[in-house]
Short mmCIF file of all heavy atoms in Angstrom, two decimals:
data_model
loop_
_atom_site.label_atom_id
_atom_site.label_comp_id
_atom_site.label_asym_id
_atom_site.label_seq_id
_atom_site.Cartn_x
_atom_site.Cartn_y
_atom_site.Cartn_z
N MET A 107 157.67 -31.27 -21.38
CA MET A 107 158.08 -30.22 -20.44
C MET A 107 157.33 -28.93 -20.76
O MET A 107 157.19 -28.56 -21.92
CB MET A 107 159.59 -30.01 -20.57
CG MET A 107 160.18 -29.07 -19.56
SD MET A 107 160.09 -29.64 -17.87
CE MET A 107 161.41 -30.85 -17.84
N GLN A 108 156.85 -28.32 -19.74
CA GLN A 108 156.09 -27.08 -19.92
C GLN A 108 156.96 -25.87 -19.61
O GLN A 108 157.89 -25.94 -18.81
CB GLN A 108 154.90 -27.04 -18.97
CG GLN A 108 153.93 -28.16 -19.14
CD GLN A 108 153.03 -27.93 -20.33
OE1 GLN A 108 152.48 -26.85 -20.49
NE2 GLN A 108 152.92 -28.92 -21.17
N ILE A 109 156.61 -24.79 -20.22
CA ILE A 109 157.33 -23.55 -19.95
C ILE A 109 156.31 -22.44 -19.73
O ILE A 109 155.26 -22.42 -20.35
CB ILE A 109 158.29 -23.23 -21.11
CG1 ILE A 109 159.39 -22.30 -20.68
CG2 ILE A 109 157.56 -22.61 -22.28
CD1 ILE A 109 160.49 -22.24 -21.69
N VAL A 110 156.63 -21.58 -18.80
CA VAL A 110 155.79 -20.41 -18.56
C VAL A 110 156.71 -19.22 -18.42
O VAL A 110 157.73 -19.29 -17.74
CB VAL A 110 154.96 -20.57 -17.26
CG1 VAL A 110 154.28 -19.26 -16.90
CG2 VAL A 110 153.91 -21.65 -17.42
N VAL A 111 156.36 -18.17 -19.09
CA VAL A 111 157.12 -16.93 -18.91
C VAL A 111 156.23 -15.93 -18.17
O VAL A 111 155.09 -15.68 -18.58
CB VAL A 111 157.56 -16.33 -20.26
CG1 VAL A 111 158.31 -15.01 -20.04
CG2 VAL A 111 158.46 -17.30 -21.01
N ASP A 112 156.75 -15.43 -17.10
CA ASP A 112 156.04 -14.39 -16.37
C ASP A 112 156.24 -13.08 -17.12
O ASP A 112 157.27 -12.42 -17.00
CB ASP A 112 156.62 -14.29 -14.95
CG ASP A 112 155.85 -13.28 -14.12
OD1 ASP A 112 155.10 -12.46 -14.69
OD2 ASP A 112 156.00 -13.31 -12.89
N LEU A 113 155.23 -12.76 -17.89
CA LEU A 113 155.38 -11.59 -18.77
C LEU A 113 155.32 -10.27 -18.02
O LEU A 113 155.65 -9.23 -18.56
CB LEU A 113 154.31 -11.64 -19.87
CG LEU A 113 154.48 -12.82 -20.84
CD1 LEU A 113 153.32 -12.88 -21.81
CD2 LEU A 113 155.80 -12.73 -21.61
N THR A 114 154.93 -10.33 -16.76
CA THR A 114 154.99 -9.10 -15.97
C THR A 114 156.43 -8.82 -15.54
O THR A 114 156.77 -7.70 -15.21
CB THR A 114 154.08 -9.18 -14.73
OG1 THR A 114 154.53 -10.25 -13.89
CG2 THR A 114 152.64 -9.42 -15.12
N ARG A 115 157.25 -9.88 -15.52
CA ARG A 115 158.67 -9.69 -15.19
C ARG A 115 159.51 -9.44 -16.42
O ARG A 115 160.53 -8.75 -16.36
CB ARG A 115 159.22 -10.96 -14.55
CG ARG A 115 158.88 -11.14 -13.13
CD ARG A 115 159.70 -12.29 -12.64
NE ARG A 115 159.48 -12.54 -11.25
CZ ARG A 115 160.40 -13.05 -10.44
NH1 ARG A 115 161.58 -13.37 -10.91
NH2 ARG A 115 160.14 -13.24 -9.19
N CYS A 116 159.12 -10.10 -17.50
CA CYS A 116 159.93 -10.05 -18.72
C CYS A 116 160.14 -8.62 -19.16
O CYS A 116 159.19 -7.85 -19.26
CB CYS A 116 159.21 -10.84 -19.82
SG CYS A 116 159.96 -10.64 -21.43
N GLN A 117 161.38 -8.29 -19.41
CA GLN A 117 161.72 -6.94 -19.84
C GLN A 117 162.13 -6.90 -21.30
O GLN A 117 162.67 -5.91 -21.77
CB GLN A 117 162.87 -6.39 -18.99
CG GLN A 117 162.57 -6.32 -17.51
CD GLN A 117 161.48 -5.30 -17.20
OE1 GLN A 117 161.46 -4.22 -17.76
NE2 GLN A 117 160.56 -5.68 -16.32
N GLY A 118 161.93 -8.00 -21.99
CA GLY A 118 162.26 -8.02 -23.41
C GLY A 118 163.75 -7.98 -23.69
O GLY A 118 164.18 -7.46 -24.70
N TYR A 119 164.54 -8.54 -22.78
CA TYR A 119 165.99 -8.54 -23.00
C TYR A 119 166.42 -9.46 -24.13
O TYR A 119 167.52 -9.38 -24.62
CB TYR A 119 166.72 -8.97 -21.72
CG TYR A 119 166.63 -7.97 -20.61
CD1 TYR A 119 166.14 -8.34 -19.37
CD2 TYR A 119 167.05 -6.66 -20.80
CE1 TYR A 119 166.05 -7.43 -18.33
CE2 TYR A 119 166.96 -5.75 -19.77
CZ TYR A 119 166.46 -6.14 -18.54
OH TYR A 119 166.37 -5.25 -17.53
N ALA A 120 165.53 -10.42 -24.43
CA ALA A 120 165.73 -11.31 -25.59
C ALA A 120 166.89 -12.28 -25.45
O ALA A 120 167.33 -12.87 -26.42
CB ALA A 120 165.87 -10.51 -26.88
N GLN A 121 167.38 -12.47 -24.24
CA GLN A 121 168.40 -13.50 -24.04
C GLN A 121 167.84 -14.86 -24.41
O GLN A 121 168.53 -15.69 -25.00
CB GLN A 121 168.84 -13.56 -22.57
CG GLN A 121 169.35 -12.26 -22.03
CD GLN A 121 170.72 -11.94 -22.54
OE1 GLN A 121 171.27 -12.63 -23.37
NE2 GLN A 121 171.29 -10.86 -22.04
N CYS A 122 166.59 -15.07 -24.04
CA CYS A 122 165.98 -16.37 -24.31
C CYS A 122 165.80 -16.57 -25.82
O CYS A 122 165.99 -17.67 -26.33
CB CYS A 122 164.63 -16.47 -23.60
SG CYS A 122 163.50 -15.13 -24.01
N VAL A 123 165.44 -15.51 -26.51
CA VAL A 123 165.25 -15.60 -27.96
C VAL A 123 166.57 -15.96 -28.64
O VAL A 123 166.62 -16.77 -29.55
CB VAL A 123 164.72 -14.25 -28.51
CG1 VAL A 123 164.52 -14.31 -30.01
CG2 VAL A 123 163.42 -13.87 -27.80
N PHE A 124 167.63 -15.39 -28.12
CA PHE A 124 168.96 -15.64 -28.66
C PHE A 124 169.37 -17.10 -28.42
O PHE A 124 169.92 -17.75 -29.30
CB PHE A 124 169.95 -14.68 -27.99
CG PHE A 124 171.35 -14.83 -28.48
CD1 PHE A 124 171.71 -14.43 -29.75
CD2 PHE A 124 172.32 -15.38 -27.65
CE1 PHE A 124 173.01 -14.59 -30.20
CE2 PHE A 124 173.62 -15.54 -28.09
CZ PHE A 124 173.97 -15.14 -29.36
N LEU A 125 169.06 -17.60 -27.23
CA LEU A 125 169.52 -18.94 -26.87
C LEU A 125 168.60 -20.04 -27.39
O LEU A 125 169.07 -21.15 -27.66
CB LEU A 125 169.63 -19.05 -25.35
CG LEU A 125 170.86 -18.34 -24.77
CD1 LEU A 125 170.72 -18.16 -23.28
CD2 LEU A 125 172.12 -19.12 -25.09
N ALA A 126 167.33 -19.76 -27.48
CA ALA A 126 166.38 -20.80 -27.92
C ALA A 126 165.37 -20.20 -28.88
O ALA A 126 164.19 -20.07 -28.55
CB ALA A 126 165.69 -21.42 -26.70
N PRO A 127 165.81 -19.85 -30.07
CA PRO A 127 164.92 -19.16 -31.01
C PRO A 127 163.72 -19.98 -31.47
O PRO A 127 162.76 -19.43 -31.96
CB PRO A 127 165.84 -18.81 -32.19
CG PRO A 127 167.05 -19.65 -32.04
CD PRO A 127 167.17 -20.01 -30.59
N GLU A 128 163.80 -21.29 -31.31
CA GLU A 128 162.65 -22.11 -31.70
C GLU A 128 161.56 -22.09 -30.64
O GLU A 128 160.42 -22.48 -30.89
CB GLU A 128 163.08 -23.56 -31.92
CG GLU A 128 164.30 -23.67 -32.77
CD GLU A 128 164.01 -24.36 -34.09
OE1 GLU A 128 163.15 -25.23 -34.11
OE2 GLU A 128 164.66 -24.00 -35.08
N VAL A 129 161.93 -21.70 -29.46
CA VAL A 129 160.97 -21.69 -28.36
C VAL A 129 160.43 -20.28 -28.10
O VAL A 129 159.25 -20.09 -27.84
CB VAL A 129 161.60 -22.25 -27.07
CG1 VAL A 129 160.60 -22.25 -25.92
CG2 VAL A 129 162.15 -23.65 -27.30
N PHE A 130 161.32 -19.30 -28.19
CA PHE A 130 160.94 -17.92 -27.88
C PHE A 130 161.10 -17.04 -29.11
O PHE A 130 162.10 -17.15 -29.83
CB PHE A 130 161.85 -17.35 -26.79
CG PHE A 130 161.87 -18.17 -25.54
CD1 PHE A 130 162.88 -19.09 -25.32
CD2 PHE A 130 160.91 -18.00 -24.56
CE1 PHE A 130 162.92 -19.86 -24.16
CE2 PHE A 130 160.93 -18.76 -23.40
CZ PHE A 130 161.94 -19.68 -23.21
N GLN A 131 160.14 -16.18 -29.30
CA GLN A 131 160.26 -15.17 -30.36
C GLN A 131 159.81 -13.82 -29.83
O GLN A 131 158.88 -13.76 -29.02
CB GLN A 131 159.38 -15.53 -31.57
CG GLN A 131 159.92 -16.64 -32.43
CD GLN A 131 159.24 -17.96 -32.13
OE1 GLN A 131 158.05 -17.99 -31.88
NE2 GLN A 131 159.99 -19.04 -32.14
N LEU A 132 160.48 -12.82 -30.28
CA LEU A 132 160.05 -11.46 -29.95
C LEU A 132 159.28 -10.90 -31.14
O LEU A 132 159.73 -10.98 -32.27
CB LEU A 132 161.27 -10.57 -29.69
CG LEU A 132 161.71 -10.36 -28.26
CD1 LEU A 132 162.84 -9.34 -28.23
CD2 LEU A 132 160.59 -9.92 -27.33
N HIS A 133 158.14 -10.32 -30.82
CA HIS A 133 157.38 -9.63 -31.85
C HIS A 133 157.30 -8.17 -31.46
O HIS A 133 156.75 -7.85 -30.41
CB HIS A 133 155.98 -10.24 -31.98
CG HIS A 133 156.02 -11.53 -32.73
ND1 HIS A 133 155.36 -11.72 -33.92
CD2 HIS A 133 156.67 -12.68 -32.47
CE1 HIS A 133 155.60 -12.94 -34.35
NE2 HIS A 133 156.38 -13.55 -33.50
N GLY A 134 157.88 -7.36 -32.25
CA GLY A 134 157.94 -5.96 -31.88
C GLY A 134 158.99 -5.75 -30.80
O GLY A 134 159.86 -6.59 -30.60
N GLU A 135 158.89 -4.67 -30.10
CA GLU A 135 159.92 -4.29 -29.14
C GLU A 135 159.95 -5.20 -27.92
O GLU A 135 161.00 -5.63 -27.49
CB GLU A 135 159.66 -2.85 -28.67
CG GLU A 135 159.89 -1.83 -29.74
CD GLU A 135 161.30 -1.28 -29.70
OE1 GLU A 135 161.68 -0.77 -28.63
OE2 GLU A 135 162.00 -1.37 -30.72
N GLU A 136 158.78 -5.48 -27.35
CA GLU A 136 158.78 -6.16 -26.07
C GLU A 136 157.78 -7.30 -25.97
O GLU A 136 157.58 -7.85 -24.91
CB GLU A 136 158.48 -5.16 -24.94
CG GLU A 136 159.65 -4.26 -24.68
CD GLU A 136 159.45 -3.44 -23.42
OE1 GLU A 136 158.39 -3.55 -22.80
OE2 GLU A 136 160.37 -2.69 -23.08
N ALA A 137 157.13 -7.63 -27.08
CA ALA A 137 156.12 -8.67 -27.01
C ALA A 137 156.77 -10.03 -27.23
O ALA A 137 157.17 -10.38 -28.33
CB ALA A 137 155.04 -8.43 -28.07
N LEU A 138 156.88 -10.77 -26.15
CA LEU A 138 157.50 -12.08 -26.23
C LEU A 138 156.44 -13.14 -26.49
O LEU A 138 155.43 -13.21 -25.79
CB LEU A 138 158.22 -12.39 -24.92
CG LEU A 138 158.99 -13.71 -24.92
CD1 LEU A 138 160.25 -13.58 -25.76
CD2 LEU A 138 159.32 -14.14 -23.51
N LEU A 139 156.68 -13.95 -27.50
CA LEU A 139 155.85 -15.12 -27.74
C LEU A 139 156.68 -16.35 -27.46
O LEU A 139 157.89 -16.35 -27.70
CB LEU A 139 155.39 -15.16 -29.20
CG LEU A 139 154.43 -14.07 -29.67
CD1 LEU A 139 153.98 -14.37 -31.09
CD2 LEU A 139 153.23 -13.96 -28.76
N TYR A 140 156.03 -17.40 -26.97
CA TYR A 140 156.79 -18.61 -26.72
C TYR A 140 155.88 -19.81 -26.85
O TYR A 140 154.66 -19.69 -26.80
CB TYR A 140 157.43 -18.57 -25.34
CG TYR A 140 156.45 -18.48 -24.20
CD1 TYR A 140 156.10 -19.61 -23.48
CD2 TYR A 140 155.88 -17.27 -23.85
CE1 TYR A 140 155.20 -19.54 -22.43
CE2 TYR A 140 154.97 -17.19 -22.82
CZ TYR A 140 154.63 -18.32 -22.11
OH TYR A 140 153.73 -18.24 -21.08
N HIS A 141 156.50 -20.95 -27.02
CA HIS A 141 155.75 -22.19 -27.13
C HIS A 141 155.72 -22.85 -25.76
O HIS A 141 156.76 -23.26 -25.25
CB HIS A 141 156.42 -23.11 -28.15
CG HIS A 141 156.44 -22.51 -29.52
ND1 HIS A 141 155.32 -22.46 -30.32
CD2 HIS A 141 157.42 -21.91 -30.22
CE1 HIS A 141 155.62 -21.86 -31.46
NE2 HIS A 141 156.90 -21.52 -31.43
N PRO A 142 154.54 -22.95 -25.15
CA PRO A 142 154.46 -23.47 -23.78
C PRO A 142 154.88 -24.93 -23.65
O PRO A 142 155.35 -25.33 -22.59
CB PRO A 142 152.99 -23.30 -23.41
CG PRO A 142 152.34 -22.54 -24.50
CD PRO A 142 153.26 -22.51 -25.68
N ALA A 143 154.69 -25.71 -24.69
CA ALA A 143 155.10 -27.11 -24.61
C ALA A 143 156.42 -27.25 -25.36
O ALA A 143 156.47 -27.14 -26.58
CB ALA A 143 154.04 -27.99 -25.23
N VAL A 144 157.48 -27.48 -24.61
CA VAL A 144 158.81 -27.51 -25.22
C VAL A 144 159.11 -28.92 -25.69
O VAL A 144 159.07 -29.87 -24.90
CB VAL A 144 159.88 -27.07 -24.19
CG1 VAL A 144 161.26 -27.10 -24.82
CG2 VAL A 144 159.57 -25.68 -23.67
N PRO A 145 159.40 -29.09 -26.98
CA PRO A 145 159.77 -30.42 -27.46
C PRO A 145 161.10 -30.87 -26.87
O PRO A 145 161.94 -30.02 -26.53
CB PRO A 145 159.87 -30.25 -28.98
CG PRO A 145 159.84 -28.80 -29.25
CD PRO A 145 159.40 -28.08 -28.02
N ALA A 146 161.26 -32.16 -26.75
CA ALA A 146 162.44 -32.71 -26.07
C ALA A 146 163.74 -32.18 -26.65
O ALA A 146 164.68 -31.88 -25.91
CB ALA A 146 162.41 -34.23 -26.15
N GLU A 147 163.79 -32.04 -27.95
CA GLU A 147 165.06 -31.61 -28.56
C GLU A 147 165.38 -30.15 -28.29
O GLU A 147 166.50 -29.71 -28.50
CB GLU A 147 165.08 -31.92 -30.07
CG GLU A 147 164.17 -31.06 -30.90
CD GLU A 147 162.75 -31.65 -31.01
OE1 GLU A 147 162.43 -32.59 -30.26
OE2 GLU A 147 161.98 -31.16 -31.85
N GLN A 148 164.40 -29.41 -27.77
CA GLN A 148 164.64 -28.00 -27.46
C GLN A 148 164.86 -27.76 -25.97
O GLN A 148 165.06 -26.63 -25.53
CB GLN A 148 163.44 -27.15 -27.91
CG GLN A 148 163.27 -27.07 -29.41
CD GLN A 148 164.44 -26.37 -30.07
OE1 GLN A 148 164.98 -25.41 -29.55
NE2 GLN A 148 164.83 -26.87 -31.23
N LEU A 149 164.80 -28.85 -25.23
CA LEU A 149 164.79 -28.71 -23.78
C LEU A 149 166.06 -28.08 -23.23
O LEU A 149 166.03 -27.20 -22.37
CB LEU A 149 164.58 -30.10 -23.17
CG LEU A 149 164.09 -30.13 -21.75
CD1 LEU A 149 162.87 -29.24 -21.59
CD2 LEU A 149 163.73 -31.57 -21.39
N GLU A 150 167.20 -28.54 -23.73
CA GLU A 150 168.46 -28.02 -23.22
C GLU A 150 168.58 -26.53 -23.51
O GLU A 150 169.00 -25.74 -22.67
CB GLU A 150 169.63 -28.80 -23.82
CG GLU A 150 170.96 -28.53 -23.15
CD GLU A 150 170.89 -28.62 -21.62
OE1 GLU A 150 170.24 -29.54 -21.10
OE2 GLU A 150 171.49 -27.75 -20.96
N ARG A 151 168.15 -26.15 -24.70
CA ARG A 151 168.18 -24.73 -25.06
C ARG A 151 167.24 -23.92 -24.18
O ARG A 151 167.57 -22.82 -23.75
CB ARG A 151 167.77 -24.57 -26.52
CG ARG A 151 168.88 -24.96 -27.47
CD ARG A 151 168.38 -24.96 -28.89
NE ARG A 151 169.49 -25.09 -29.82
CZ ARG A 151 170.13 -24.04 -30.33
NH1 ARG A 151 169.74 -22.83 -30.07
NH2 ARG A 151 171.15 -24.21 -31.13
N ALA A 152 166.08 -24.50 -23.92
CA ALA A 152 165.11 -23.80 -23.07
C ALA A 152 165.67 -23.64 -21.66
O ALA A 152 165.49 -22.59 -21.02
CB ALA A 152 163.79 -24.56 -23.04
N ARG A 153 166.37 -24.65 -21.18
CA ARG A 153 166.99 -24.55 -19.86
C ARG A 153 168.03 -23.44 -19.82
O ARG A 153 168.13 -22.69 -18.86
CB ARG A 153 167.68 -25.87 -19.49
CG ARG A 153 166.73 -26.92 -19.04
CD ARG A 153 167.37 -27.83 -18.00
NE ARG A 153 166.39 -28.80 -17.54
CZ ARG A 153 166.26 -30.02 -18.07
NH1 ARG A 153 167.08 -30.41 -19.00
NH2 ARG A 153 165.34 -30.83 -17.63
N GLN A 154 168.84 -23.39 -20.86
CA GLN A 154 169.85 -22.35 -20.93
C GLN A 154 169.20 -20.97 -20.97
O GLN A 154 169.68 -20.03 -20.34
CB GLN A 154 170.73 -22.53 -22.17
CG GLN A 154 171.64 -23.74 -22.06
CD GLN A 154 172.41 -23.99 -23.35
OE1 GLN A 154 172.33 -23.22 -24.29
NE2 GLN A 154 173.15 -25.07 -23.37
N ALA A 155 168.12 -20.88 -21.72
CA ALA A 155 167.40 -19.61 -21.80
C ALA A 155 166.87 -19.20 -20.43
O ALA A 155 166.99 -18.04 -20.02
CB ALA A 155 166.26 -19.72 -22.80
N ALA A 156 166.30 -20.18 -19.70
CA ALA A 156 165.77 -19.88 -18.38
C ALA A 156 166.88 -19.40 -17.45
O ALA A 156 166.70 -18.46 -16.67
CB ALA A 156 165.08 -21.11 -17.81
N ALA A 157 168.04 -20.05 -17.55
CA ALA A 157 169.17 -19.67 -16.70
C ALA A 157 169.71 -18.30 -17.07
O ALA A 157 170.22 -17.58 -16.21
CB ALA A 157 170.27 -20.73 -16.79
N ALA A 158 169.58 -17.95 -18.33
CA ALA A 158 170.18 -16.70 -18.81
C ALA A 158 169.27 -15.50 -18.63
O ALA A 158 169.74 -14.36 -18.70
CB ALA A 158 170.55 -16.84 -20.28
N CYS A 159 168.01 -15.74 -18.40
CA CYS A 159 167.08 -14.60 -18.29
C CYS A 159 167.48 -13.73 -17.11
O CYS A 159 167.57 -14.20 -15.98
CB CYS A 159 165.66 -15.11 -18.10
SG CYS A 159 164.49 -13.76 -17.82
N PRO A 160 167.74 -12.45 -17.35
CA PRO A 160 168.24 -11.57 -16.29
C PRO A 160 167.23 -11.34 -15.17
O PRO A 160 167.62 -10.97 -14.07
CB PRO A 160 168.53 -10.25 -17.01
CG PRO A 160 168.44 -10.53 -18.47
CD PRO A 160 167.64 -11.77 -18.65
N VAL A 161 165.96 -11.58 -15.45
CA VAL A 161 164.95 -11.33 -14.41
C VAL A 161 164.25 -12.61 -13.96
O VAL A 161 163.22 -12.58 -13.30
CB VAL A 161 163.91 -10.28 -14.89
CG1 VAL A 161 164.56 -8.91 -15.02
CG2 VAL A 161 163.27 -10.69 -16.20
N GLN A 162 164.82 -13.76 -14.35
CA GLN A 162 164.26 -15.07 -13.97
C GLN A 162 162.77 -15.17 -14.25
O GLN A 162 161.99 -15.62 -13.40
CB GLN A 162 164.53 -15.39 -12.49
CG GLN A 162 165.91 -15.91 -12.23
CD GLN A 162 166.80 -14.81 -11.68
OE1 GLN A 162 166.41 -14.15 -10.75
NE2 GLN A 162 167.96 -14.62 -12.26
N ALA A 163 162.40 -14.74 -15.43
CA ALA A 163 160.97 -14.77 -15.78
C ALA A 163 160.53 -16.11 -16.33
O ALA A 163 159.34 -16.34 -16.46
CB ALA A 163 160.68 -13.67 -16.80
N ILE A 164 161.48 -16.98 -16.64
CA ILE A 164 161.13 -18.24 -17.30
C ILE A 164 161.07 -19.37 -16.29
O ILE A 164 162.04 -19.63 -15.58
CB ILE A 164 162.17 -18.57 -18.40
CG1 ILE A 164 162.24 -17.43 -19.41
CG2 ILE A 164 161.80 -19.89 -19.09
CD1 ILE A 164 163.39 -17.54 -20.39
N LEU A 165 159.93 -20.01 -16.23
CA LEU A 165 159.76 -21.18 -15.37
C LEU A 165 159.64 -22.41 -16.24
O LEU A 165 158.91 -22.42 -17.23
CB LEU A 165 158.48 -21.05 -14.54
CG LEU A 165 158.40 -19.87 -13.60
CD1 LEU A 165 157.04 -19.83 -12.94
CD2 LEU A 165 159.51 -19.95 -12.57
N LEU A 166 160.37 -23.44 -15.86
CA LEU A 166 160.36 -24.69 -16.61
C LEU A 166 159.97 -25.80 -15.67
O LEU A 166 160.41 -25.84 -14.54
CB LEU A 166 161.79 -25.00 -17.06
CG LEU A 166 162.21 -24.69 -18.49
CD1 LEU A 166 163.67 -25.02 -18.62
CD2 LEU A 166 161.41 -25.46 -19.49
N GLY A 167 159.12 -26.70 -16.14
CA GLY A 167 158.81 -27.84 -15.31
C GLY A 167 157.56 -28.53 -15.78
O GLY A 167 156.86 -28.04 -16.65
N GLU A 168 157.29 -29.69 -15.18
CA GLU A 168 156.04 -30.37 -15.49
C GLU A 168 154.94 -29.71 -14.69
O GLU A 168 155.05 -29.53 -13.49
CB GLU A 168 156.14 -31.84 -15.09
CG GLU A 168 157.07 -32.65 -15.95
CD GLU A 168 156.66 -32.67 -17.43
OE1 GLU A 168 155.49 -32.39 -17.73
OE2 GLU A 168 157.53 -32.97 -18.27
N GLY A 169 153.89 -29.33 -15.39
CA GLY A 169 152.73 -28.81 -14.69
C GLY A 169 152.89 -27.41 -14.13
O GLY A 169 152.13 -27.02 -13.26
N VAL A 170 153.88 -26.64 -14.59
CA VAL A 170 153.93 -25.24 -14.17
C VAL A 170 152.78 -24.53 -14.86
O VAL A 170 152.34 -24.90 -15.93
CB VAL A 170 155.26 -24.53 -14.52
CG1 VAL A 170 156.38 -25.08 -13.69
CG2 VAL A 170 155.57 -24.59 -15.99
N SER A 171 152.27 -23.52 -14.20
CA SER A 171 151.19 -22.77 -14.83
C SER A 171 151.42 -21.30 -14.58
O SER A 171 152.23 -20.91 -13.75
CB SER A 171 149.85 -23.20 -14.29
OG SER A 171 149.61 -22.54 -13.08
N ALA A 172 150.68 -20.52 -15.29
CA ALA A 172 150.86 -19.08 -15.18
C ALA A 172 150.14 -18.52 -13.97
O ALA A 172 150.02 -17.32 -13.80
CB ALA A 172 150.39 -18.41 -16.46
N GLY A 173 149.64 -19.39 -13.13
CA GLY A 173 149.04 -18.93 -11.90
C GLY A 173 147.67 -18.28 -12.09
O GLY A 173 147.33 -17.33 -11.42
N GLY A 174 146.93 -18.82 -13.04
CA GLY A 174 145.58 -18.34 -13.21
C GLY A 174 145.46 -17.11 -14.08
O GLY A 174 144.37 -16.58 -14.23
N ARG A 175 146.55 -16.64 -14.62
CA ARG A 175 146.45 -15.49 -15.49
C ARG A 175 146.03 -15.91 -16.88
O ARG A 175 146.37 -16.97 -17.34
CB ARG A 175 147.77 -14.75 -15.55
CG ARG A 175 147.75 -13.62 -14.55
CD ARG A 175 148.98 -12.76 -14.68
NE ARG A 175 150.16 -13.52 -14.26
CZ ARG A 175 151.20 -13.75 -15.05
NH1 ARG A 175 151.22 -13.31 -16.26
NH2 ARG A 175 152.23 -14.43 -14.62
S1 SF4 B 258 165.35 -13.42 -21.37
FE1 SF4 B 258 163.79 -13.06 -19.82
S2 SF4 B 258 163.43 -10.87 -19.85
FE2 SF4 B 258 164.49 -11.41 -21.72
S3 SF4 B 258 162.89 -11.70 -23.25
FE3 SF4 B 258 163.37 -13.69 -22.35
S4 SF4 B 258 161.92 -13.94 -20.67
FE4 SF4 B 258 161.96 -11.78 -21.22
#
């Protein structure tokens, strides 16, 4: 499963970091790092993180891409 975070939307609320710390990490105030390929055992957490993101910046799916960025 692939994950893409639209970093132009992400406001660094860190809900995703809280819910899926193995997938998302915050570096500094607003720099979000994440693992684009989510391992199966992290999938449920990643889904919860996507649902919890206040700005819906997290896209989950097969073959999602950052749209050429
Ligand atoms: S929950 Fe959404 S806005 Fe907050 S850090 Fe994660 S991706 Fe960014």
